[in-house]
Amino acid sequence: MRARATGATITLLAVLTGGCTDLGTGGTLPAPARSGPTAPVVRDRWESCDATGVASQDQFGEAQDALTLPLLGGDGSGDGFQPVAAVICGVAPRKGPAGGREIVAEEARADDLTVLLPALRLPDEAAAFEVNCTLELPAVPWLVLLDSEGRWIRPGIPTDVCGKPRTEFREAFPKLTTTTVRSRVIRQLDSGEPAQGGCYPTWADRTWARGGVENVRESTVPPLPEDVAVRRCVYEVPTGKRGSAEPAGDFRFGGLLAADDWTAIRAEIEASAPGTGTCATPASSFAVFHLEAGAHVYVEADGCRRILIEPANGAGVYRQGSARLTSLVFD
């Protein structure tokens, strides 16, 4: 087992203290309605996160329903339940042994609830519609409390005027001292090969997704960097995804280009003709070149063999590829 000085489980510390998806500002969010019984349901002896009956392990990272579960209240659950420990079930990505990434399920236990229980026993704050609430969706921990007999409950998490976890809870939760009880890999996100090449395992074909010269009307090739490290990543688009709104390709090969190779490819792109017309034939493979400061160049291996240049700042540019460019990029 691994002990942690602070922090309840992988991922949730960050999201409870500000790591969330901001959808904008200007709305008001009423507190969610509590559902079901008036007190948390006391269940038989705790076994493990895997034995809870949750349909998908990913739900351990999406426990928004805790904002609508019955609150703990001042005297436990109302059924003689006195919490003595907490268990947090979580999922998160981590670096794998081969250099890729993997999704891991982790079960952590805390035996000192001095800080947490007062925050859990708070009531919901009354919704205030005049308050300007941000519309982010904060992650909520999949949390259970255990009593001395090993029984367990899932307590509701008290909400603020915007329907999010109260500040007191968000401040108390990261202070838990926990021990990792179980940890296992759920699935691989990246293989070691793309990671070692510096490429993502999947990437969208922006050349197709942006539609063509009807949507991207700029045609002048912007300056392409010369003396920089350029990474080429080549992807193959599965048959069923070709022609979709944003076809995602699977990594084939890639890595840093030799300076001479990039010089030849850059020269061919700069000499290319402007793109014309709408393309009706999606590519089966494409390459993306990662340039400096977030700029990218896409080259289709087949189909209409287009080039899309996306500067870090400024409009995208469509050009027409050539047989020589295809050979330089994909052979």
Side-chain angles (χ1 to χ4, degrees), residues 14-15 17 54 64 139 178-179 183 191 199 216 219 269 273 279 294 309 319:
V15 291
T17 55
V54 173
Q64 299 291 325
T178 65
T179 299
S183 179
S191 70
C199 300
V216 181
S219 60
I269 293 172
C279 178
I309 304 168
R319 306 289 290 186

Side-chain angles (χ1 to χ4, degrees), residues 259-275:
D260 290 346
D261 290 340
W262 171 239
T263 297
I265 291 170
R266 177 174 54 81
E268 195 67 23
I269 293 172
E270 291 175 341
S272 63

Side-chain angles (χ1 to χ4, degrees), residues 181-322:
V181 179
R182 297 177 182 87
S183 179
R184 65 179 180 84
V185 176
I186 298 176
R187 62 180 179 273
Q188 294 292 131
L189 285 179
D190 302 2
S191 70
E193 184 180 0
Q196 291 167 7
C199 300
Y200 289 91
T202 61
W203 194 273
D205 182 5
R206 295 277 295 163
T207 312
W208 180 268
R210 295 201 66 174
V213 294
E214 287 74 16
N215 297 323
V216 181
R217 298 186 179 278
E218 180 63 43
S219 60
T220 303
V221 177
L224 298 176
E226 299 181 19
D227 299 325
V228 298
V230 174
R231 192 174 304 279
R232 172 186 55 185
C233 302
V234 176
Y235 297 88
E236 182 172 354
V237 182
T239 303
K241 295 181 180 179
R242 295 173 194 170
S244 61
E246 194 163 351
D250 297 326
F251 176 80
R252 285 178 51 200
F253 64 89
L256 288 175
L257 282 173
D260 290 346
D261 290 340
W262 171 239
T263 297
I265 291 170
R266 177 174 54 81
E268 195 67 23
I269 293 172
E270 291 175 341
S272 63
T276 59
T278 300
C279 178
T281 308
S284 63
S285 298
F286 66 94
V288 56
F289 294 87
H290 297 270
L291 310 182
E292 56 188 355
H296 299 96
V297 174
Y298 293 81
V299 176
E300 294 178 319
D302 51 18
C304 298
R305 293 204 302 196
R306 297 171 298 172
I307 305 165
L308 172 63
I309 304 168
E310 287 193 322
N313 297 295
V317 177
Y318 270 103
R319 306 289 290 186
Q320 181 59 53
S322 64

Side-chain angles (χ1 to χ4, degrees), residues 10-319:
I10 46 183
T11 76
L12 287 171
L13 287 179
V15 291
L16 283 169
T17 55
C20 47
T21 303
D22 191 353
L23 302 179
T25 60
T28 55
L29 296 176
R34 297 289 163 183
S35 60
T38 57
V41 176
V42 179
R43 306 181 186 277
D44 292 337
R45 189 173 184 83
W46 174 258
E47 294 183 28
S48 67
C49 294
D50 290 342
T52 57
V54 173
S56 169
Q57 295 288 334
D58 290 340
Q59 293 181 28
F60 289 140
E62 300 286 343
Q64 299 291 325
D65 63 328
L67 302 178
T68 64
L69 293 174
L71 293 172
L72 184 63
D75 298 316
S77 71
D79 188 27
F81 186 93
Q82 295 297 324
V84 298
V87 172
I88 304 95
C89 304
V91 294
R94 74 177 182 190
K95 186 176 181 180
R101 294 181 302 160
E102 54 195 19
I103 291 289
V104 177
E106 184 172 286
E107 180 174 331
R109 178 183 172 110
D111 291 302
D112 184 352
L113 305 183
T114 305
V115 176
L116 183 65
L117 286 181
L120 281 176
R121 286 180 170 139
L122 293 171
D124 293 327
E125 293 180 342
F129 287 93
E130 70 277 8
V131 174
N132 191 30
C133 299
T134 58
L135 301 182
E136 76 267 13
L137 302 174
V140 178
W142 208 96
L143 170 71
V144 303
L145 299 177
L146 310 180
D147 70 3
S148 59
E149 299 177 22
R151 299 182 303 169
W152 61 281
I153 62 171
R154 273 195 73 201
I157 293 175
T159 57
D160 63 15
V161 295
C162 293
K164 305 171 189 179
R166 284 187 59 152
T167 300
E168 296 89 340
F169 176 81
R170 287 194 279 178
E171 291 177 348
F173 184 77
K175 295 177 182 178
L176 285 176
T177 298
T178 65
T179 299
T180 300
V181 179
R182 297 177 182 87
S183 179
R184 65 179 180 84
V185 176
I186 298 176
R187 62 180 179 273
Q188 294 292 131
L189 285 179
D190 302 2
S191 70
E193 184 180 0
Q196 291 167 7
C199 300
Y200 289 91
T202 61
W203 194 273
D205 182 5
R206 295 277 295 163
T207 312
W208 180 268
R210 295 201 66 174
V213 294
E214 287 74 16
N215 297 323
V216 181
R217 298 186 179 278
E218 180 63 43
S219 60
T220 303
V221 177
L224 298 176
E226 299 181 19
D227 299 325
V228 298
V230 174
R231 192 174 304 279
R232 172 186 55 185
C233 302
V234 176
Y235 297 88
E236 182 172 354
V237 182
T239 303
K241 295 181 180 179
R242 295 173 194 170
S244 61
E246 194 163 351
D250 297 326
F251 176 80
R252 285 178 51 200
F253 64 89
L256 288 175
L257 282 173
D260 290 346
D261 290 340
W262 171 239
T263 297
I265 291 170
R266 177 174 54 81
E268 195 67 23
I269 293 172
E270 291 175 341
S272 63
T276 59
T278 300
C279 178
T281 308
S284 63
S285 298
F286 66 94
V288 56
F289 294 87
H290 297 270
L291 310 182
E292 56 188 355
H296 299 96
V297 174
Y298 293 81
V299 176
E300 294 178 319
D302 51 18
C304 298
R305 293 204 302 196
R306 297 171 298 172
I307 305 165
L308 172 63
I309 304 168
E310 287 193 322
N313 297 295
V317 177
Y318 270 103
R319 306 289 290 186

